[in-house]
């Protein structure tokens, strides 16, 4: 409550008697004192106005705080399934990296995390997508399978992912692109 009634029994400077309205808006305290009064009707009116201003400011800040939607190169159009090159690091005699194009299904159900990769190079783009959708529908619900399957992304999106990951410092050889892209190019 932002209305305080002082009747002389509270500890205040100079034994103040009256009503005080106090509302914080944008980190600034707005307050008004009604000396000698005990009627709170005017104080309630001012409090409602200030609370309204406070709510307007909060909703404005909330809208500004929300992050804009990020357009990731890895997005497939199906929640929980991403497409990317994963890095396999081998540390035998020297460190070597190999890159594999995959559909990555990850998420959680019933507080249990899961993650599974479907190798596009080994399975082929279409079969890897089918298996990723099957796995995701097992985890999220069988009724979603047809909807997921229809949203299959274009294999050409790997050109975007390839450029994106190379900009981030990954040295991905061109022959690691999906076979369907290598054949069409």
């Amino acid at each position: 409550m932002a209305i305080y009634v002082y009747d002389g029994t509270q500890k205040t400077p100079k034994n103040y008697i009256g009503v005080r309205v106090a509302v914080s808006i944008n980190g600034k305290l707005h307050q008004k004192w009604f000396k000698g009064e005990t009627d709170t009707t005017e104080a309630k009116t001012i409090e409602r106005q200030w609370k309204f201003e406070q709510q307007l400011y909060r909703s404005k800040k909330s809208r500004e705080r929300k992050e804009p939607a990020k357009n990731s190169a890895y997005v497939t159009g199906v929640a929980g399934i991403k497409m990317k090159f994963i890095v396999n690091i081998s540390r035998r005699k020297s460190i070597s990296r190999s890159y594999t194009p995959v559909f990555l299904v990850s998420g959680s159900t019933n507080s249990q995390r899961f993650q599974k990769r479907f190798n596009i190079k080994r399975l082929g783009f279409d079969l890897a997508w089918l298996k990723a959708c099957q796995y995701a529908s097992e985890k999220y619900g069988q009724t979603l399978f047809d909807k997921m399957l229809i949203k299959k992304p274009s294999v050409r999106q790997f050109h975007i992912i390839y450029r994106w990951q190379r900009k981030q410092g990954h040295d991905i050889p061109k022959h690691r692109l999906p076979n369907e892209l290598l054949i069409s190019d």
Side-chain angles (χ1 to χ4, degrees), residues 14 21 29 49 58 78 81 84 99 141 144 161 176:
K14 299 181 185 176
V21 182
L29 181 64
Q49 291 172 349
R58 281 183 181 164
V78 175
I81 303 177
K84 64 190 309 184
Y99 295 88
L144 300 173
I161 296 168
R176 295 307 296 165

Side-chain angles (χ1 to χ4, degrees), residues 125-136:
F125 192 81
D126 294 332
L127 185 57
W129 178 253
L130 176 72
K131 288 185 178 266
C133 289
Q134 283 174 336
Y135 181 76

Side-chain angles (χ1 to χ4, degrees), residues 35 37-39 75 102 119-120 131 137 143 152 182-183:
K35 293 183 181 177
E37 291 183 30
T38 55
D39 183 24
V75 172
V102 297
N119 188 326
I120 295 170
K131 288 185 178 266
S137 68
T143 57
K152 180 175 80 171
L182 295 175
I183 293 168

Side-chain angles (χ1 to χ4, degrees), residues 15-28:
N15 293 328
Y16 177 78
I17 295 176
V19 177
R20 178 174 74 109
V21 182
V23 176
S24 177
I25 302 171
N26 189 15
K28 296 177 185 162

Side-chain angles (χ1 to χ4, degrees), residues 1 3-5 19 21 34 37-45:
M1 181 165 175
I3 298 175
Y4 304 94
V5 179
V19 177
V21 182
F34 300 94
E37 291 183 30
T38 55
D39 183 24
T40 60
T41 54
E42 190 177 349
K44 286 180 181 177
T45 304

